[in-house]
Amino acid sequence: QVQLVESGGGLVQAGGSLRLSCVASGSIRSINAMGWYRQAPGKQRELVAVISSGGSTNYADSVKDRFTISRDNAKNTVYLQMNNVKSEDTAVYYCNANSRYRPVDYWGRGTQVTVSS
């Protein structure tokens, strides 16, 4: 089992910056890729960014050139640096990790990000 705990959400003005963190614990060695998803009210959960165990990254088109995902394996932590945020970035942001050994996804409880215009 893997436990994920997010932090860093809050209220930010449009054009501002915020950094989210997600600390993993438990069966750390079973983790393969990690990522961030978000869900806005009335919308489906969507992928924001993902980073592989080797450091390869992939982003949703809507956040490219504004958000950066990074991973510190020594601290079992994945980050999401959010720059030039927009009102449409308002959502609950969830940390995700998948297992390298079986088709299982782990999720954090989420952290709210609210962008004021």
Side-chain angles (χ1 to χ4, degrees):
Q1 285 288 338
V2 172
Q3 294 78 44
L4 303 172
V5 179
E6 304 99 334
S7 62
L11 178 64
V12 60
Q13 287 190 332
S17 298
L18 207 61
R19 189 176 82 154
L20 306 182
S21 300
C22 171
V23 179
S25 61
S27 301
I28 302 300
R29 293 184 179 181
S30 70
I31 295 175
N32 187 14
M34 297 187 73
W36 289 94
Y37 288 70
R38 67 187 181 187
Q39 187 167 18
K43 295 188 176 181
Q44 289 189 330
R45 192 173 296 189
E46 64 176 2
L47 173 70
V48 176
V50 63
I51 184 167
S52 71
S53 56
S56 298
T57 59
N58 194 28
Y59 296 90
D61 288 342
S62 59
V63 306
K64 279 180 181 177
D65 300 323
R66 298 190 299 121
F67 292 8
T68 302
I69 189 170
S70 61
R71 184 169 178 173
D72 186 337
N73 290 328
K75 295 182 178 180
N76 303 320
T77 302
V78 64
Y79 304 97
L80 185 69
Q81 178 66 42
M82 306 168 61
N83 296 329
N84 189 24
V85 295
K86 304 176 181 180
S87 57
E88 51 263 43
D89 295 323
T90 294
V92 178
Y93 283 71
Y94 296 92
C95 182
N96 169 272
N98 59 51
S99 171
R100 67 175 72 243
Y101 302 126
R102 53 190 182 131
V104 172
D105 276 294
Y106 302 99
W107 294 93
R109 293 188 175 183
T111 185
Q112 176 72 47
V113 172
T114 303
V115 181
S116 63
S117 56

